Amino acid sequence: MADVKVGDAIPELKVTPDKYLTHRYAGASGDFNPIHIDAEFAKAVGLPGPILHGLYMMGLVAKANAALADGDPRALKRLSVQFRGMGATETEIVVSGTVKSVDGDTVVVDTVAAQGENQTIRNAEAEVQL
Amino acid sequence: MSVKTEAIGKEWPATTYEIGREKIGEYARVLGIENPVHFDREAAKAAGFRDVVAPPMFAVVYSSPAVAPAMFDPEVGMNFAAMVHGGQEFEWGEPACSGDEITTTAKCLDISEKDGKGFYIFETNAVNQNGDQVVKGTWTLIVRGV
């Protein structure tokens, strides 16, 4: 297995979703809630604009952790997240994580997704089998 | 003011979803996932999968149709205008591949209230056509001002 130890950082994943990302994610996922794809609707309900789907950002967290196992889709065994902030399009998302335990070939990573100071996902815990 | 709790323990009818190769590719491209096992059958087979394999978080695609009727059930009584997705957990088993028929059930695990917020927790369980556990999901939805 790869040489991973407690305290190691996972490689940072940086993505800047373009203006139409939420439309493509809506199509891919089936979640067409207008708060994600309709700027006027979003503003009418008090949001600054269309917000990113939380599960899209969770998908990026999954991708960043799978990278520990070269993107093998079998590696991610469990992922638990808390959605804490709204994500915006056209703003860079940085997913970062730190290994908090290693037990045999199973690694647990504490992961955060943030746009600047805004932590959209925190306390994310990923169990990855290497 | 309080939340209704009679739906705790309620289960909803199973939904089925047949996974298609192009749908996997569409999802992977949106997330910028480039591993060929998500696009190319030969690459997937060479890596030990039965067919083109879905990225783990593709679970939302086949699990959401099962949890939606639970969320919209009047017995649960959620106020959607004030709802946010508070948390999500998935635990994966057998990989989900193109051609798999996934059957997913949903159940209400808990409804509670704290500091004027309602916490609604649902569980989904997805199995494939062979009866293998594919993914278990725990969905936490929070409603403000209950």
Side-chain angles (χ1 to χ4, degrees), chain A residues 61-84:
Chain A
V61 168
K63 181 186 173 187
N65 280 291
L68 273 179
D70 297 323
D72 186 335
R74 284 166 291 216
L76 189 62
K77 296 299 178 192
R78 185 175 61 83
L79 179 60
S80 170
V81 308
Q82 293 179 6
F83 300 111
R84 281 296 177 272

Side-chain angles (χ1 to χ4, degrees), chain A residues 59-127:
Chain A
L60 295 179
V61 168
K63 181 186 173 187
N65 280 291
L68 273 179
D70 297 323
D72 186 335
R74 284 166 291 216
L76 189 62
K77 296 299 178 192
R78 185 175 61 83
L79 179 60
S80 170
V81 308
Q82 293 179 6
F83 300 111
R84 281 296 177 272
M86 291 179 294
T89 55
E90 302 178 277
T91 307
E92 186 179 61
I93 301 170
V94 178
V95 182
S96 55
T98 309
V99 174
K100 70 174 181 188
S101 71
V102 179
D103 181 8
D105 60 358
T106 301
V107 170
V108 175
V109 183
D110 183 20
T111 318
V112 171
Q115 290 185 316
E117 297 295 304
N118 176 26
Q119 295 193 343
T120 55
I121 289 182
R122 55 172 197 246
N123 299 329
E125 195 176 90
E127 193 178 309

Side-chain angles (χ1 to χ4, degrees), chain B residues 1-23:
Chain B
M1 297 224 280
S2 62
V3 293
K4 298 200 285 179
T5 55
E6 64 262 30
I8 296 172
K10 184 169 178 174
E11 297 181 35
W12 285 266
T15 58
T16 58
Y17 182 97
E18 185 177 327
I19 299 179
R21 181 176 60 156
E22 296 296 344
K23 190 69 189 177

